[in-house]
Amino acid sequence: MAKYTIAWMPGDGVGNDVMEAAKIVLDRIALDAEYIPADIGWEFWCREGNPLPQRTLDVFKRTDCALFGAITSKGTDRADLELVPELRGKGYTYRSPIVGLRQLLDLYICLRPCKAYPGNPLNYRPGIDLVVFRENTEGMYIGVEFGRVPEEFYTVKAMEKVPRDAAISLRSITPGSSERIVRAAFDHASQHGRTKVTAVHKGNVLRQTDGVFMSVARKVAAEYPEIEFDDANVDAMGMWLLKNPLNYQVVVTTNLFGDVISDLCAQMVGGLGFGCSGNIGSHYAVFEPTHGSAPKYAGMYKVNPLATILAAKMMLDWLGETEMAAQLEGAVAQVIAEGKVRTYDMGGSHTTLEMAQAVAAEL
Ligand code: IPM
Ligand code: MG
């Protein structure tokens, strides 16, 4: 029996291309694992009305963790849904299965490292090396939205100023979820020799929800006196990150702000082709590139697989295979530094699989 069992979820679009690339590298490093394919994504929603079928949930129960490619998360709007003839007019609503999966499995940490590997022509500035801890289960992602304010809401006085034809989305921030994400950020900092944690919020406007988040953050920070703690409003943070990216080491924030800030940080170290991500809970984790499924490039083996390969590296770390993880990261760094193999986003013309083979050759 293999040491690990890993749920293998290519998803759709370029998800297949980049997972094939990841497999080349994992095979080369000889991770002792059995990979169990699992269905997720747009295709299954169209066919079965469910992008995350029960059989996939069953695979999670008998695997250690999952590696995931990409899926199409169509817009909120009906217009997208109307494109599927079988479903036209039926009013189905499609919710991103990756968001559902994070909540269902309580993968409360979204960890997004952003490192400027030397030699990457896409680096915004040399030396950037930070990690984003995004709360992954609540905030603006609870899915409680109304196209029109429900009548019974008007029994609450504060609602008087909200027009009757408003659409509303609720943001929920609990002390418990805030505490565990902030604690994860501080633990990571102390385990990885980081000396500073920055909490990001919009406390000057979202007084209640970010009031909870920040009061918990300050309380947790006090337990780690050796680590510097500061905070910033999310708008200012966008500015500061661009101005002084080297001032940041560990950034911790709520769900939607983390979504936005982590894209900004990924862009500073090469963009979509480099953004990797771990959705981590107490017992299970799903690793993925941050990018989407780019349907127009599906099957063309054009996109950069390094985001997925770096997600596989995060998976190795999480499994406790830290030596293998370090080797894999070293191989990625080496290929980037040499600059001989580059995918189109890096100004080159090598394919997805050629990039993976180049990384494998360094192992
Ligand atoms: C991400 C993505 C998802 C999110 C989308 C695809 C629903 O942007 O992982 O950052 O908003 O979390
Ligand atoms: Mg995002």
Side-chain angles (χ1 to χ4, degrees):
M1 230 185 88
K3 187 167 177 194
Y4 303 111
T5 45
I6 296 172
W8 194 258
M9 300 191 290
D12 50 58
V14 297
N16 292 295
D17 305 29
V18 293
M19 288 288 275
E20 198 177 323
K23 191 69 180 12
I24 291 174
V25 171
L26 287 169
D27 284 348
R28 176 59 174 249
I29 209 164
L31 179 68
D32 183 9
E34 187 190 347
Y35 300 96
I36 318 274
D39 298 336
I40 186 169
W42 182 241
E43 183 191 336
F44 302 97
W45 183 77
C46 293
R47 222 191 285 153
E48 307 170 23
N50 183 359
L52 190 58
Q54 181 60 43
R55 61 184 177 279
T56 298
L57 303 181
D58 293 338
V59 172
F60 296 146
K61 287 188 196 129
R62 57 193 174 88
T63 47
D64 296 301
C65 62
L67 192 64
F68 166 59
I71 38 162
T72 306
S73 292
K74 299 262 174 173
T76 50
D77 44 276
R78 296 271 143 78
D80 276 337
L81 304 181
E82 296 295 315
L83 296 175
V84 183
E86 307 84 283
L87 301 173
R88 199 169 290 151
K90 292 202 183 129
Y92 281 94
T93 47
Y94 176 84
R95 266 195 90 201
S96 165
I98 184 66
V99 172
L101 193 149
R102 290 165 182 165
Q103 295 173 351
L104 200 70
L105 304 180
D106 199 27
L107 308 175
Y108 64 93
I109 300 168
C110 182
L111 174 58
R112 297 190 159 168
C114 300
K115 192 189 282 191
Y117 291 99
N120 183 352
L122 302 172
N123 285 340
Y124 173 65
R125 212 169 279 176
I128 298 172
D129 182 8
L130 54 88
V131 290
V132 178
F133 276 78
R134 163 188 179 188
E135 201 292 322
N136 219 16
T137 61
E138 56 172 27
M140 292 299 302
Y141 279 68
I142 55 173
V144 182
E145 297 196 288
F146 302 90
R148 226 187 138 84
V149 184
E151 203 42 49
E152 55 271 32
F153 278 33
Y154 289 99
T155 53
V156 176
K157 181 133 185 33
M159 286 295 296
E160 272 169 12
K161 54 183 183 235
V162 180
R164 302 247 156 190
D165 59 353
I168 54 170
S169 305
L170 294 186
R171 179 181 201 240
S172 133
I173 301 288
T174 58
S177 296
S178 303
E179 173 155 359
R180 60 187 185 169
I181 190 68
V182 175
R183 201 169 281 289
F186 274 93
D187 284 343
H188 179 95
S190 59
Q191 285 155 18
H192 293 83
R194 307 269 193 170
T195 56
K196 181 173 153 186
V197 172
T198 306
V200 175
H201 56 86
K202 186 68 185 176
N204 56 355
V205 175
L206 303 172
R207 292 180 182 276
Q208 296 302 331
T209 45
D210 273 334
V212 167
F213 180 70
M214 282 310 297
S215 71
V216 169
R218 289 196 188 91
K219 191 191 83 185
V220 173
E223 294 175 34
Y224 298 79
E226 70 288 2
I227 295 170
E228 184 188 340
F229 177 62
D230 68 356
D231 70 282
N233 277 294
V234 63
D235 50 344
M237 187 67 183
M239 225 172 59
W240 288 121
L241 275 168
L242 288 179
K243 191 161 191 274
N244 298 319
L246 271 52
N247 281 359
Y248 300 98
Q249 302 181 28
V250 178
V251 174
V252 62
T253 188
T254 51
N255 209 339
L256 182 61
F257 295 160
D259 181 39
V260 175
I261 287 289
S262 63
D263 269 21
L264 194 161
C265 292
Q267 187 56 40
M268 294 199 297
V269 298
L272 294 178
F274 295 84
C276 55
S277 168
N279 304 281
I280 303 171
S282 313
H283 305 290
Y284 200 82
V286 178
F287 298 88
E288 54 164 332
T290 306
H291 62 67
S293 64
K296 68 174 179 191
Y297 291 141
M300 290 169 67
Y301 295 100
K302 186 176 160 133
V303 299
N304 191 342
L306 288 180
T308 312
I309 290 172
L310 288 168
K313 179 257 172 205
M314 295 177 75
M315 178 179 82
L316 294 172
D317 268 326
W318 185 81
L319 286 169
E321 299 290 348
T322 48
E323 214 163 286
M324 263 187 196
Q327 270 174 34
L328 179 50
E329 185 178 28
V332 169
Q334 186 63 27
V335 171
I336 294 173
E338 278 170 7
K340 284 191 281 212
V341 177
R342 287 180 171 172
T343 41
Y344 86 100
D345 55 323
M346 301 170 79
S349 57
H350 290 89
T351 66
T352 306
L353 301 185
E354 283 166 347
M355 176 59 96
Q357 279 142 5
V359 173
E362 295 291 341
L363 283 164

